[in-house]
Each structure stands twice: as structure tokens, then as C-alpha cells.
């Protein structure tokens, strides 16, 4: 008799616990911003696996030219930087033999100096391949538009791409949005534009929520998201200060035949995200 009561008691406890867990999960589905225990466990497990794997050797064909704190202090420039100065950086990289230059800087508005836009467009046109960023933008009235570089740049550039970095519910960046659709046309992330120009292959195509095609291969996605295989924390890829590039402090071989990404790393520009490594 006592054994039967204990069995009933255990079954009751199990039922209560199961009901509680189902209720928590149901609440989490109603309020997406809340992290369920299972989601938190999944995030933690993936991050731990990546950290246990350790830092991996980065692709030797990719380097970064950083708009960093030293560059701000040395030049004395405020943001946004003069386009003529950006032109000097691109010209130096061209002379060094860079194969693909990715400029992660908005070129939507005119430079105060009209000659600045002309100088930067000319420098980009002389590069073997260049990629700049576009932005799908929704204003306060809910009107969505596609922001593109100024017309002076469009003939000079070889590729365009979006750059949305996605934060999970725990505010950690683990993936990017592979593509965005605007007026029934797909606009892919600039990472894929850079890769296809470096490999000299057709643009990515066939986008679905599950995959797309690049260089003849199906690239898997999860709900249109591409999971980033981080090689390590910040600084894992070779990084060179933008101002020191113009000063000629680095050997040209550091950029020869490489993908060179130009973008901001200064904390003052608030373009920094936490990752599984940091």
C-alpha cells in the first residue's frame, strides 16, 4: 500500500514538473524576447564547443585595415572621415596589389568636399575588385527603402552587399542575415560578394530560408541566417591601422593578392558586438 502511494506521488511530481516546463516554453513562444532555459542551454553549449575547439588559424587571404583609435588620434579627423583620405588608403592598397577591397563605410551622402567623392570613386575604379555596403532601411513612418552608394560610386564598384549582424536573445552575435529581399529582388550579404569576386565565380543565387547557391555549392542556412564559424576573438585576423597604411608603415606584401576589409574598430563608433569568444 505504501509503495503504491509513493508511486502515485512520484507520478504526480513528474506531471507537475512537466506541466511547469511546458508552461514556461509556451510563455517563451508568446514573448520571443524571453530566453527559455532550453535556448539558454543551446547557446551555452554551442559557445562552449567553439571555445573548447580553440582559436584556429585564420584564412591567410583576408586582412583588415582598421579605422581604430590610433587613426583618429593621429589624423585628428572626426567621423565620418574625408573621402579624399579614404581615397589615399585605397590607392595605397591598390599599389600594394590588393585583389579585393571591401569598404564597410556608408557612401549614401555627399562628402562636404565634392572632390572627395571624385577622388574615392577614382581610387575604387582603379582597384581590381571592390565591394561596398547597402542598407535596407525602414523609417519612423514604416516606409522601407534601399540605401545605395551615391551614383558617382556605382560604376566604380564591382559588388554591393548588406551587412546586418544578428544578435540572439542573449545579445551575442552568432550569425549574419544571408540575404534581404526588396521589391522581389534578393540582396546578399557583402561577405558573399567579396568571396565570389575573389574566386571569380557568378553571384550567389537561388536563395531560400534553408540555403542558397555560391560557386556551384549549396550553402546551408537556418531561417535565412548564416551561422558564423568564428576563428577566434577580436584580433585573430591580421589587422593594420588605417593611418599607418597611409604612412607606409607596412610592407606591400601584407596586402598583395588578398581580400582587404576596411572598417571601423574604434569603440567610439559603437560598431562592436559580443561573440562566443568575448
Amino acid at each position: 500500500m505504501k509503495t503504491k502511494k509513493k508511486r502515485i506521488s512520484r507520478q504526480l511530481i513528474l506531471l507537475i514538473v512537466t506541466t511547469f516546463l511546458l508552461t514556461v516554453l509556451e510563455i517563451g513562444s508568446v514573448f520571443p524576447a524571453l530566453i527559455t532555459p532550453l535556448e539558454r542551454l543551446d547557446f551555452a553549449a554551442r559557445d562552449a564547443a567553439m571555445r573548447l575547439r580553440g582559436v584556429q588559424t585564420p584564412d591567410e587571404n583576408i586582412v583588415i585595415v582598421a579605422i581604430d583609435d590610433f587613426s583618429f588620434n593621429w589624423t585628428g579627423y572626426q567621423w565620418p572621415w574625408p573621402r579624399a583620405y579614404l581615397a589615399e588608403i585605397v590607392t595605397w592598397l591598390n599599389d600594394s596589389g590588393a585583389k579585393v577591397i571591401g569598404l564597410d563605410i556608408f557612401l549614401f551622402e555627399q562628402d562636404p568636399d565634392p572632390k572627395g567623392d571624385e577622388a574615392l570613386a577614382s581610387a575604387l575604379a582603379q582597384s581590381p575588385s571592390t565591394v561596398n555596403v547597402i542598407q535596407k532601411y525602414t523609417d519612423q513612418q514604416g516606409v522601407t527603402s534601399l540605401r545605395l552608394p551615391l551614383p558617382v560610386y556605382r560604376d566604380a564598384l564591382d559588388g554591393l552587399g548588406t551587412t546586418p549582424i544578428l544578435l540572439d536573445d542573449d545579445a551575442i552575435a552568432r550569425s549574419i542575415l544571408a540575404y534581404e529581399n526588396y521589391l522581389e529582388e534578393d540582396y546578399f550579404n557583402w561577405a558573399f560578394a567579396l568571396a565570389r569576386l575573389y574566386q571569380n565565380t557568378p553571384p550567389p543565387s537561388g536563395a531560400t530560408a534553408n540555403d542558397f547557391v555560391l560557386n556551384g555549392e549549396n550553402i546551408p542556412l537556418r531561417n535565412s541566417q548564416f551561422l558564423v564559424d568564428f576563428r577566434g576573438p577580436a584580433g585573430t585576423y591580421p589587422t593594420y591601422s588605417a593611418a599607418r597604411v597611409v604612412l607606409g608603415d607596412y610592407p606591400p606584401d601584407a596586402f598583395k593578392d588578398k581580400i582587404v576589409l576596411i572598417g571601423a574598430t574604434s569603440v567610439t563608433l559603437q560598431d562592436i558586438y559580443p561573440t562566443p569568444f568575448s
Side-chain angles (χ1 to χ4, degrees), residues 224-240:
S224 303
Q225 300 177 19
F226 180 80
L227 192 63
V228 178
D229 182 14
F230 289 96
R231 297 297 183 185
T236 299
Y237 279 86
T239 303
Y240 304 93

Side-chain angles (χ1 to χ4, degrees), residues 138-144:
T138 302
D139 62 21
Q140 294 181 347
Q141 285 71 42
V143 178
T144 301

Side-chain angles (χ1 to χ4, degrees), residues 39-55 168 170 172-174 227-230 275-278:
E39 286 177 322
R40 190 179 295 278
L41 181 61
D42 178 51
F43 292 153
R46 282 190 286 161
D47 293 350
M50 188 170 287
R51 289 193 293 268
L52 285 172
R53 182 205 66 190
V55 176
D168 288 320
D170 60 351
I172 303 296
R174 298 182 179 88
L227 192 63
V228 178
D229 182 14
F230 289 96
T275 74
F277 276 99
S278 60

